[in-house]
Amino acid sequence: MESENINMYSLMGLSIIDDLPIIESNSALIQGTIIISSISTTGVSMNSFSMNNQDVNRMVSFFDFCARKERYLTLAIDNLLKKNEYLQLTIQFNDDLIDEDEFEEELEKNEDKYLIKMNPAFVESDFNIISSIIQKLNRNFSNDEISELFAIPFDKSNKFIQEFNKSNQKYING
């Protein structure tokens, strides 16, 4: 078994999943050896490395950030699809393919298909995650768009825009 020094950035290629184990230390020093193995057509490869408490905390923080970012990306796509479904239903109503009663009945029966539910428990510490997402999209966003995409209550998205605009004027229109 070959021992290597691996830092957090060399771990960025790992697949992030929501079911990561939670490490609790109660201020105890977390140290240990981690073994990574892979199997290929040419054989089995095994590497091990040691991590101290600071390395473990950085890695757990990185995995947590990636998992939360993935949840926000998934939420944004889901909310865009809901908005599209609502638009399609509205077009059917406007084109007289369905009447007002059918329109309202469809909304009532399939609320989860059309309604974007705001997250009242949204934590402001997730603003940095949302900021990293919207910067990569390279377009201007309104307060309504941010609120809808990420299910942020309107008052909290207002605060986010004020903070975000201090450093990144070109991405959000307040």
Side-chain angles (χ1 to χ4, degrees), residues 105-123:
E105 182 182 338
E106 176 64 19
L107 287 177
E108 280 183 31
K109 284 177 27 181
N110 297 303
E111 187 177 276
D112 289 340
K113 184 177 177 180
Y114 303 103
L115 182 65
I116 297 172
K117 295 179 183 173
M118 295 296 133
N119 178 7
F122 175 80
V123 291

Side-chain angles (χ1 to χ4, degrees), residues 1-157:
M1 214 181 287
E2 184 180 317
S3 182
E4 297 180 15
N5 285 329
I6 299 178
N7 65 28
M8 178 178 68
Y9 301 105
S10 64
L11 297 172
M12 286 184 177
L14 293 177
S15 174
I16 307 301
I17 57 173
D18 285 330
D19 299 324
L20 290 173
I22 303 299
I23 298 175
E24 295 182 18
S25 69
N26 293 331
S27 299
L29 184 62
I30 301 173
Q31 289 191 19
T33 301
I34 296 176
I35 299 172
I36 298 176
S37 62
S38 62
I39 301 173
S40 69
T41 55
T42 59
V44 175
S45 169
M46 294 185 86
N47 295 303
S48 68
F49 58 95
S50 296
M51 296 179 70
N52 63 30
N53 192 37
Q54 185 179 12
D55 291 338
V56 170
N57 287 337
R58 280 190 203 134
M59 190 167 72
V60 169
S61 293
F62 173 73
F63 287 155
D64 178 60
F65 178 85
C66 291
R68 291 184 325 180
K69 187 172 183 177
E70 183 178 346
R71 282 192 290 274
Y72 277 109
L73 287 167
T74 303
L75 177 65
I77 292 168
D78 188 45
N79 287 343
L80 282 172
L81 292 172
K82 286 180 180 184
K83 193 172 180 177
N84 188 50
E85 291 288 340
Y86 182 78
L87 178 62
Q88 294 299 319
L89 186 64
T90 304
I91 289 170
Q92 289 177 13
F93 175 68
N94 289 339
D95 289 347
D96 293 325
L97 299 174
I98 59 174
D99 62 25
E100 186 174 347
D101 290 337
E102 291 171 312
F103 178 82
E104 289 178 12
E105 182 182 338
E106 176 64 19
L107 287 177
E108 280 183 31
K109 284 177 27 181
N110 297 303
E111 187 177 276
D112 289 340
K113 184 177 177 180
Y114 303 103
L115 182 65
I116 297 172
K117 295 179 183 173
M118 295 296 133
N119 178 7
F122 175 80
V123 291
E124 293 177 12
S125 62
D126 284 347
F127 282 148
N128 63 337
I129 295 170
I130 292 168
S131 175
S132 73
I133 293 169
I134 63 174
Q135 285 178 0
K136 290 183 177 162
L137 295 174
N138 198 26
R139 72 177 300 273
N140 290 326
F141 288 89
S142 69
N143 191 7
D144 290 340
E145 289 172 322
I146 290 173
S147 192
E148 286 178 353
L149 277 174
F150 302 106
I152 304 171
F154 191 74
D155 60 327
K156 290 184 180 181
S157 66

